[in-house]
Amino acid sequence: LHGPFFLNGFRWVEGAVNARLGAGVSMRTVLAKTALGQVTLFPAYLTAFFAYSAYLEEIFERGTRDLGTIAEAAKSRIASQFGPSFAGGCVFWPCVNVINFGAVPPSGRVAYVAGVGVAWNAFLSWRNALENKAARAASASGQEDR
């Protein structure tokens, strides 16, 4: 998911900004690429990440095969995790992408983002685990009340 998505996404960002502002690494161009990626690529990636993680958990942890149940789990996960993760990413990723678009050659950008993405994915996994822990606690509490 990560590699192909960002390889094609960065190509699109490069093309869109370069067509408008010209190629290069001026601060204006770097900031434009960073902003465009932040408002287009990042929301799409977060949505896919949380939907896919919910899908995998439903199938492998809960044994669910019903597509409606899986879709509801994905919808719920996106609704609860997207906002806080997007807010955290609006601090983290612009800093990363200013370096990415300003100093990393286009051929190395996906590798650079993948390397930095290890820390980001650890953050997303931590947020995901917090939600799962809270859901299990709520479920256990509800069962004890019966």
Side-chain angles (χ1 to χ4, degrees):
L1 174 68
H2 194 268
F5 178 82
F6 283 105
L7 175 66
N8 292 307
F10 286 153
R11 283 182 182 162
W12 173 77
V13 165
E14 285 279 330
V17 173
N18 289 350
R20 179 122 172 120
L21 301 178
V25 292
S26 70
M27 186 53 73
R28 181 177 181 212
T29 302
V30 168
L31 292 176
K33 290 175 184 177
T34 298
L36 184 59
Q38 191 67 28
V39 301
T40 59
L41 301 179
F42 187 54
Y45 179 75
L46 279 180
T47 301
F49 177 88
F50 287 122
Y52 190 61
S53 67
Y55 167 78
L56 292 175
E57 287 173 16
E58 285 298 316
I59 288 179
F60 294 110
E61 289 183 14
R62 295 176 188 85
T64 305
R65 295 289 186 252
D66 177 60
L67 292 179
T69 301
I70 293 169
E72 282 302 313
K75 182 179 171 184
S76 175
R77 177 73 49 83
I78 292 164
S80 67
Q81 293 294 317
F82 184 89
S85 299
F86 186 78
C90 284
V91 174
F92 182 78
W93 284 110
C95 300
V96 169
N97 280 324
V98 165
I99 295 167
N100 189 32
F101 292 119
V104 178
S107 62
R109 289 187 179 149
V110 171
Y112 167 74
V113 167
V116 175
V118 169
W120 176 252
N121 285 335
F123 169 75
L124 290 180
S125 295
W126 172 75
R127 290 219 31 91
N128 196 43
L130 283 179
E131 177 176 310
N132 288 343
K133 184 177 178 181
R136 283 191 301 273
S139 176
S141 175
Q143 290 175 355
E144 291 172 3
D145 293 341
R146 292 180 187 183

